[in-house]
Amino acid sequence: MFQQQTIQNQSIDLPLGKVVCVGRNYADHAKELGNEVPDAPILFIKPSTSVVALEAGFTIPSDQGRVHHEAEIALLISKQTKNISADQSWASISHVGLALDLTLRDVQSKLKDKSHPWEIAKGFDGACPLSKWIPQEKIINRHSIAIQLGKNGELKQNGNSTQMITSIPDLVAYMSNIFTLMPGDVILTGTPAGVGPLEKGDELVGMLDDQFRFESAVL
Ligand code: ZN
């Protein structure tokens, strides 16, 4: 039996699986952290235990340095997907949402200096606040999905999937050639520029596709 995926009191009949993520998928964001733009997608995985409901508000670690928000377009995989081509990608995606790829930035910097993997900085419990899911048919134009994040009334991140270095179809195809994607897996597609630190009490507003609004807060 699969455990039902229940996020935001919204029940979707899929297990909550792994969260497959990509780093530096927007050139402006790579630049703001002083990173080179990669020549192939940089993939990493957050465990299912990192997922929490965005709109319920969330807590962040208080004793491990800066915790950065990375607002990202999230995709819900609805069928087993392996070795697909880009033109088959959207057939595997049932829903779209907004996720925060929370990152312990100071911890990550130290890991990077030592060429160690990033999991400690990105895979901790609560590291993936995730909005309720929007059926992909409700997205106005899936080739141009806007994403914004505001913090305490100020717009911090403002991007569009058209700015991705690896597009959503190419990214899902690439991932499926490395990891078998299972129903209930989640894909995070990278963050646009404007990442920054979160603090307890911050009020957040996420916008997806200029029509779906999600309110959240750091508790
Ligand atoms: Zn990210």
Side-chain angles (χ1 to χ4, degrees):
M1 272 294 281
F2 283 146
Q3 186 194 341
Q4 261 202 346
Q5 175 160 292
T6 306
I7 296 172
Q8 300 289 142
N9 300 321
Q10 177 198 31
S11 215
I12 290 176
D13 197 15
L14 289 175
L16 177 59
K18 59 187 176 290
V19 183
V20 186
C21 309
V22 59
R24 302 180 207 165
N25 200 24
Y26 289 77
D28 283 358
H29 168 62
K31 210 184 292 173
E32 75 180 342
L33 293 184
N35 290 317
E36 280 174 32
V37 174
D39 45 15
I42 300 172
L43 302 188
F44 61 96
I45 286 179
K46 287 173 180 268
S48 59
T49 44
S50 67
V51 175
V52 292
L54 174 71
E55 287 165 279
F58 56 91
T59 58
I60 56 174
S62 58
D63 56 355
Q64 295 182 71
R66 291 171 298 163
V67 183
H68 271 190
H69 57 77
E70 296 189 357
E72 311 202 1
I73 298 169
L75 312 169
L76 180 63
I77 298 294
S78 56
K79 65 179 191 186
Q80 188 169 327
T81 300
K82 187 168 175 61
N83 293 331
I84 59 165
S85 59
D87 59 359
Q88 298 171 296
S89 288
W90 278 105
S92 291
I93 300 164
S94 60
H95 293 74
V96 179
L98 188 150
L100 297 181
D101 170 18
L102 295 185
T103 304
L104 293 167
R105 191 67 73 199
D106 296 325
V107 173
Q108 187 195 31
S109 296
K110 283 184 200 143
L111 293 169
K112 276 185 185 167
D113 287 346
K114 295 183 199 161
S115 300
H116 286 179
W118 298 348
E119 268 76 2
I120 296 170
K122 291 212 176 245
F124 56 90
D125 285 1
C128 188
L130 187 57
S131 75
K132 70 174 185 234
W133 289 113
I134 310 298
Q136 66 129 306
E137 309 81 58
K138 293 199 174 169
I139 298 296
I140 297 164
N141 175 1
R142 63 193 193 187
H143 303 297
S144 172
I145 305 173
I147 179 167
Q148 282 102 21
L149 185 75
K151 184 177 87 170
N152 302 329
E154 209 178 310
L155 183 63
K156 292 292 185 185
Q157 294 195 261
N158 186 12
N160 189 290
S161 63
T162 55
Q163 301 159 341
M164 290 178 182
I165 294 166
T166 305
S167 69
I168 287 175
D170 286 335
L171 184 63
V172 174
Y174 181 79
M175 288 172 169
S176 84
N177 280 274
I178 298 164
F179 310 109
T180 299
L181 302 173
M182 297 297 290
D185 283 354
V186 174
I187 290 174
L188 303 194
T189 56
T191 194
V195 304
L198 290 172
E199 283 174 37
K200 192 171 177 177
D202 282 343
E203 308 219 327
L204 304 173
V205 175
M207 284 293 295
L208 188 68
D209 202 32
D210 292 328
Q211 55 170 333
F212 301 106
R213 180 186 162 94
F214 310 103
E215 292 187 10
S216 187
V218 184
L219 304 174

